[in-house]
Amino acid sequence: MIADTGATSRLLRAGMVLSGLAGAVGVICLALAAHESSSPLLRTAAQVLLYHAPILLGLGLLSQLRRAPLLPVTLLLMTGGLTLFCGDLLSRAFLEARLFPMSAPIGGASLILGWLTLALNALRLTAK
């Protein structure tokens, strides 16, 4: 049985909620891309969201099994990156305007940093 601490419980819940939201929005975007919009930006946003939904869930689950001090940072970087990157793509697809200048590149860089902090987590794992 895994001890339930407040921090790990919150991280698990955050990972599950964010994973569910990314997956749902990704499926909605794919449906819209197939039926309503011809914008390739919509399909790209959907794919990025759906590719990252399982990792958000995995980060929450990993928090229950191991001590990885950078997991909250990883979750924050990936969530922020998805919000900025996909938010900019969706804004351009639907509103024909950017979220703000450099939002997609900043979001993309945040996603890359999130993946790198995940790798760093692997080097710092300890059993609970």
Side-chain angles (χ1 to χ4, degrees):
M1 184 82 177
I2 298 169
D4 182 30
T5 66
T8 59
S9 180
R10 284 189 301 275
L11 196 56
L12 173 62
R13 181 172 294 143
M16 291 175 70
V17 167
L18 294 169
S19 175
L21 290 173
V25 173
V27 170
I28 290 167
C29 289
L30 274 182
L32 288 172
H35 298 289
E36 297 293 327
S37 175
S38 60
S39 174
L41 297 174
L42 192 55
R43 184 169 296 280
T44 301
Q47 290 171 335
V48 171
L49 285 162
L50 289 171
Y51 294 155
H52 285 83
I55 193 63
L56 296 173
L57 177 60
L59 290 171
L61 293 172
L62 185 60
S63 72
Q64 300 297 299
L65 303 174
R66 301 276 184 194
R67 291 190 202 282
L70 296 175
L71 278 180
V73 174
T74 303
L75 191 62
L76 181 66
L77 285 168
M78 287 195 174
T79 302
L82 283 174
T83 302
L84 290 176
F85 185 80
C86 294
D88 187 63
L89 295 180
L90 294 173
S91 179
R92 287 192 279 159
F94 291 117
L95 305 175
E96 297 180 2
R98 288 190 164 279
L99 208 56
F100 60 86
M102 299 296 292
S103 54
I106 292 169
S110 179
L111 285 170
I112 292 167
L113 288 172
W115 283 103
L116 291 173
T117 60
L118 179 61
L120 289 174
N121 274 304
L123 300 174
R124 310 234 9 230
L125 282 180
T126 59
K128 280 196 174 182

